[in-house]
Amino acid sequence: MKKILALLASLFFMFSLNACSGGGGGDDGGDGRTRKTALRIIHGSIDGTPVIARIGDIFLQKSRFAQLQDYVRVEDEEPATVTIERANAPGVILRSLPVPFESETEYTVFVSGEARDDEGRAVLITEPVEQADEGFARIQFLNGLSQAGSLSLRGVDFTTALAREGQSSGYVETVSGPQDLSVVDDEGRVIEELSLVLADRGDVTVLITGSTELNYQIVRVFEDLD
């Protein structure tokens, strides 16, 4: 009996934690939800070291290759310089990016390229907070696949603009719900396939990264459920 009571108490505790941490989300924080000024790093450099983002002495985020990340809130809505540094060598700056940090705007720093060829890069993607109508979702595609040329993402009712390596296609709207998606090259050949359930009125970023020379590629999906 004591073991059963202990098990029930443990299950109740776990349920309570999930109830507190899940759902809602609101304007800030939980489950990738935010409508505030915010920034994230998407790290798509296959041989790049982990990096951190700072504004002066203010730490924003640390990210390693292909790590899933949520946005982090930026308190001051005014222009600032974001420095991208090697996490294991503080003070070694890879890039300095001027960011306007406007109200209700999210920003992605997309790190890509191959460090061994000194072709690592970091670009800023500006993402005004918008929301699709009911029954739809928004989706963008990031191309981090080295030496693959321009790629796009194709779904049931859309094909994004071609994105060069290190670039974003920009957001497009599509029907929410289950979809089979394909990453295709500029001649329409399928490079990778995936199946997703697109949350109604959510934002999704699909990243392909890796290296064609090394015959290694992976896909990561980042969800923002504003």
Side-chain angles (χ1 to χ4, degrees), residues 60-145:
L60 295 178
Q61 192 171 71
K62 177 180 178 180
S63 187
R64 63 181 183 277
F65 173 66
Q67 181 179 7
L68 295 176
Q69 295 282 31
D70 288 336
Y71 294 95
V72 293
R73 174 84 180 273
V74 177
E75 296 295 336
D76 295 329
E77 296 177 357
E78 58 184 26
T81 297
V82 173
T83 57
I84 306 300
E85 306 175 9
R86 296 186 188 277
N88 56 1
V92 178
I93 297 175
L94 300 180
R95 294 289 184 276
S96 295
L97 300 169
V99 183
F101 286 122
E102 297 175 337
S103 176
E104 293 195 5
T105 304
E106 297 168 337
Y107 301 88
T108 293
V109 176
F110 181 29
V111 178
S112 64
E114 296 191 40
R116 61 178 177 162
D117 295 328
D118 197 28
E119 291 185 354
R121 63 182 68 87
V123 300
L124 181 70
I125 302 169
T126 301
E127 302 158 324
V129 175
E130 299 175 4
Q131 196 170 52
D133 293 333
E134 289 186 11
F136 292 87
R138 301 197 316 149
I139 190 166
Q140 72 170 330
F141 171 66
L142 301 184
N143 179 8
L145 187 58

Side-chain angles (χ1 to χ4, degrees), residues 152-186:
S152 61
L153 184 68
R154 186 170 64 200
V156 65
D157 61 354
F158 74 93
T159 300
T160 68
L162 286 167
R164 301 189 306 275
E165 181 186 340
Q167 299 294 323
S168 165
S169 67
Y171 276 102
V172 298
E173 286 197 6
T174 181
V175 292
S176 57
Q179 278 207 41
D180 294 326
L181 307 174
S182 300
V183 178
V184 298
D185 66 16
D186 56 2

Side-chain angles (χ1 to χ4, degrees), residues 166-221:
Q167 299 294 323
S168 165
S169 67
Y171 276 102
V172 298
E173 286 197 6
T174 181
V175 292
S176 57
Q179 278 207 41
D180 294 326
L181 307 174
S182 300
V183 178
V184 298
D185 66 16
D186 56 2
E187 295 183 1
R189 293 174 296 206
V190 175
I191 304 298
E192 190 69 72
E193 296 179 308
L194 65 153
S195 296
L196 294 180
V197 178
L198 302 178
D200 195 45
R201 308 190 77 186
D203 290 351
V204 172
T205 296
V206 175
L207 164 71
I208 188 169
T209 185
S211 169
T212 56
E213 181 181 352
L214 299 176
N215 194 30
Y216 174 74
Q217 62 192 40
I218 58 174
V219 171
R220 289 287 185 265
V221 178

